[in-house]
Amino acid sequence: MDTSPSALLRLFVPKIPLIAKTALWHSLWLSPTSSKWDLRTEMTVRIIRSFFDNPEPTPISKQQRWSLKDPGIKGKMWISKVAFAAPEEEDIRDVMVEAIESMKEGDGVYKVTAMTPLEAEWTGYRANVRHDRPRPDLSDAQHYVKLMSEVTSPVTILYFHGGAHFMMDPSSHRLPTSRLAQLTGGRCLSVRYRLAPQNPFPCALLDAFHAYLSLLYPPPDSFHKPVAPHNIVFAGDSAGGNLSFALCQLILHVNRSSTKPSLKFHAGSIDLPLPLPAGVTGTSPWADMTRCMPSVVSNAQYDYLPPPISTEQVRKFPRDEIWPTDPPRGDLYCDLSMLCHPLVSPLAAKDWTGSCPMFFVYGEETLADEGKSVASLAAQQGVAVVWEQFEAMPHCFSMIFEHLEAGRRGFKDWADFCTQVASETDVKEKAQRVKTKGTWFAAKSCKETDLDVTSLAVCSPEEVAERMRSARDVRIQGFDGYSKIQPNL
């Protein structure tokens, strides 16, 4: 992401009228959120929202390129860039495809993807240096040694970045991953998974699966030694949270349904069932690709995310080299027929029985209801679930508002959960130690109110399924009419 002074100037000069109006309305208590936000928070949310409200959408390829500009490495972080070779065997791809087919309802369309080499960044906290300290001129192997010399706990966080599945990469998320490493005393493996629309579902999920198995069973020339599953936590924000919970659901389904005794991986053999990680976590995880839940409308005043995409908005995206696809597709991430698949939208998953402990942190945001449904169902099925929701906070607030008590608390609790579950103790003992707990945090004061996690859901599972199917069908009907008049690129 380009954060140079000239780039920031080009972004924010046109926003000066909005900034002035927001400051005036907030100071006069005319804004509906003045009582719950400070001026800095209101300014930030409204500026971010204004980029989504642009009447002339930026081409998808331009948005993607802008988000992938590397800001550089300096200060309080160790970064070791790695690449895991693609296994010659196709077993992990094949078992994923079996799961997709087994969980599919109807005639969902997707393309079976090939295994490819996988890039990632090991991230650790670098203590006792200034924030502007340059990165030492060392090889990545040497950087990994330096990183490990400051690791004080066994916590290993497998991190999937957000960005709506088509933007950003590990370089854009070095600050939060290094902060997680600092707070846990551990390390993060931040995955550069393949982005849509060039690489639609299930490419990113396959890369996530590849990354997890590479932690457990290091490919040749890896810097790391095998990591015990009870020391690994899946983590992600927004679309990365989607991948975290989709990967957990994939492993659960493979363990329940696969008839294979083992999988071949880099000339080795992995016995089934696959080990689960110590925990799966997300800050504002995107669990519903249809965006059909009530909070999409009811919580909009506290969020900056745009409303669900329509056929009209698809039509307005300028044509470029990556969008629309050939043949045209109605969603950046997947074919519209796959929107209700549990590995695309974890909200659609019916069975979380046997899962590792889960942690959710949301604001009072548009995605909150989908998270409530996932958390509630999992808790009802016996999974240990920790749920935290902060009043009047927007999407991914804990990564944006470090100046607020809510932001600091949400992030710290996320890290504390990772530390709690990813210890050296036995997995069964650990699961018994993590207790299901829900908490609502009041705006500004962060006063806590207990919540019953099993009763969080605002819709029954049957109502959720009907909402998702209806939202999918509306998009399919609209896109079918639109696509007939669109030539292929």
Side-chain angles (χ1 to χ4, degrees):
M1 188 178 300
D2 190 353
T3 57
S4 65
S6 60
L8 294 176
L9 197 63
R10 289 194 299 271
L11 279 176
F12 287 104
V13 165
K15 305 298 180 184
I16 289 176
L18 172 65
I19 292 170
K21 180 180 178 180
T22 300
L24 178 63
W25 279 55
H26 184 88
S27 61
L28 296 176
W29 294 84
L30 296 175
S31 166
T33 53
S34 295
S35 63
K36 297 184 177 182
W37 287 346
D38 62 11
L39 177 59
R40 180 175 172 181
T41 302
E42 181 141 14
M43 198 80 75
T44 302
V45 171
R46 297 198 181 281
I47 289 173
I48 297 175
R49 186 185 294 161
S50 72
F51 289 111
F52 290 115
D53 290 341
N54 189 344
E56 297 182 1
T58 303
I60 296 296
S61 60
K62 186 174 181 180
Q63 293 184 54
Q64 189 179 85
R65 284 195 300 270
W66 178 79
S67 76
L68 296 177
K69 290 184 178 179
D70 193 324
I73 302 169
K74 61 182 178 180
K76 297 180 177 293
M77 62 180 74
W78 289 111
I79 302 294
S80 174
K81 300 178 182 181
V82 294
F84 301 129
E88 294 182 2
E89 310 90 346
E90 297 180 342
D91 287 33
I92 70 170
R93 185 198 68 174
D94 293 345
V95 77
M96 180 194 71
V97 171
E98 288 177 7
I100 294 171
E101 288 296 317
S102 174
M103 302 171 80
K104 189 171 67 172
E105 296 181 358
D107 299 323
V109 176
Y110 65 98
K111 184 178 179 180
V112 178
T113 183
M115 296 288 298
T116 61
L118 180 64
E119 294 183 359
E121 291 186 357
W122 281 110
T123 306
Y125 182 68
R126 186 183 179 194
N128 303 316
V129 296
R130 292 168 52 92
H131 289 281
D132 57 354
R133 180 74 173 268
R135 186 188 191 214
D137 185 16
L138 302 169
S139 69
D140 282 306
Q142 291 170 317
H143 277 288
Y144 183 75
V145 172
K146 291 284 190 181
L147 181 157
M148 291 302 296
S149 71
E150 297 200 40
V151 167
T152 59
S153 86
V155 177
T156 299
I157 297 173
L158 181 58
Y159 197 88
F160 306 108
H161 65 83
H165 292 296
F166 79 98
M167 293 187 296
M168 302 190 185
D169 71 353
S171 70
S172 61
H173 281 63
R174 287 174 185 147
L175 287 177
T177 53
S178 61
R179 191 175 166 205
L180 281 172
Q182 176 191 13
L183 292 175
T184 62
R187 55 185 173 168
C188 295
L189 182 69
S190 187
V191 181
R192 182 170 283 108
Y193 57 84
R194 284 172 284 179
L195 298 177
Q198 304 97 311
N199 302 286
F201 175 86
C203 291
L205 181 60
L206 180 57
D207 289 346
F209 196 22
H210 184 185
Y212 180 51
L213 296 181
S214 295
L215 281 178
L216 299 173
Y217 311 98
D221 301 321
S222 296
F223 297 157
H224 69 285
K225 296 178 181 179
V227 184
H230 61 263
N231 294 144
I232 299 172
V233 180
F234 296 166
D237 60 284
S238 193
N242 171 291
L243 283 178
S244 294
F245 285 90
L247 178 58
C248 180
Q249 181 62 214
L250 171 63
I251 295 169
L252 289 170
H253 190 81
V254 167
N255 288 348
R256 293 188 196 110
S257 62
S258 180
T259 58
K260 296 181 178 180
S262 62
L263 304 175
K264 291 184 173 59
F265 186 67
H266 290 294
S269 181
I270 301 173
D271 292 336
L272 295 182
L274 294 169
L276 285 163
V280 55
T281 70
T283 179
S284 301
W286 186 9
D288 173 26
M289 297 293 290
T290 73
R291 298 195 65 198
C292 69
M293 298 297 280
S295 59
V296 167
V297 175
S298 62
N299 290 353
Q301 67 172 327
Y302 299 122
D303 213 344
Y304 53 77
L305 289 182
I309 193 167
S310 66
T311 304
E312 179 62 27
Q313 288 169 306
V314 171
R315 183 181 294 116
K316 285 184 177 180
F317 275 119
R319 299 173 67 83
D320 61 21
E321 64 270 23
I322 66 173
W323 189 258
T325 54
D326 182 10
R329 190 172 69 239
D331 188 88
L332 289 170
Y333 184 55
C334 66
D335 188 87
L336 293 175
S337 63
M338 295 294 289
L339 288 176
C340 297
H341 194 287
L343 299 181
V344 172
S345 295
L347 176 62
K350 298 176 182 177
D351 192 357
W352 295 97
T353 305
S355 171
C356 54
M358 297 177 172
F359 176 87
F360 301 81
V361 58
Y362 280 94
E364 194 174 359
E365 59 181 283
T366 56
L367 305 190
D369 283 352
E370 59 204 60
K372 288 179 180 179
S373 288
V374 174
S376 183
L377 179 62
Q380 291 169 20
Q381 294 172 343
V383 180
V385 178
V386 176
W387 169 272
E388 294 189 357
Q389 188 174 14
F390 289 74
E391 182 184 13
M393 286 289 97
H395 186 63
C396 291
F397 71 95
S398 63
M399 298 173 66
I400 300 172
F401 296 129
E402 194 174 351
H403 71 287
L404 295 179
E405 173 62 23
R408 293 190 295 271
R409 178 65 186 272
F411 201 99
K412 182 180 183 298
D413 288 354
W414 185 17
D416 286 349
F417 178 89
C418 294
T419 302
Q420 180 185 12
V421 299
S423 64
E424 293 282 7
T425 58
D426 179 81
V427 175
K428 291 183 179 179
E429 292 179 3
K430 186 185 316 180
Q432 293 171 356
R433 210 172 59 238
V434 179
K435 303 298 183 183
T436 293
K437 178 178 174 58
T439 310
W440 169 267
F441 295 84
K444 292 188 175 180
S445 69
C446 284
K447 181 180 178 181
E448 299 179 25
T449 302
D450 289 341
L451 299 172
D452 179 5
V453 179
T454 62
S455 301
L456 285 174
V458 299
C459 301
S460 70
E462 294 76 21
E463 290 171 321
V464 168
E466 179 56 34
R467 279 177 167 270
M468 293 185 73
R469 285 193 295 266
S470 178
R472 176 200 61 195
D473 292 346
V474 166
R475 288 188 61 186
I476 288 174
Q477 291 165 10
F479 182 73
D480 283 348
Y482 164 60
S483 62
K484 291 175 183 175
I485 62 172
Q486 287 297 303
N488 290 348
L489 285 178

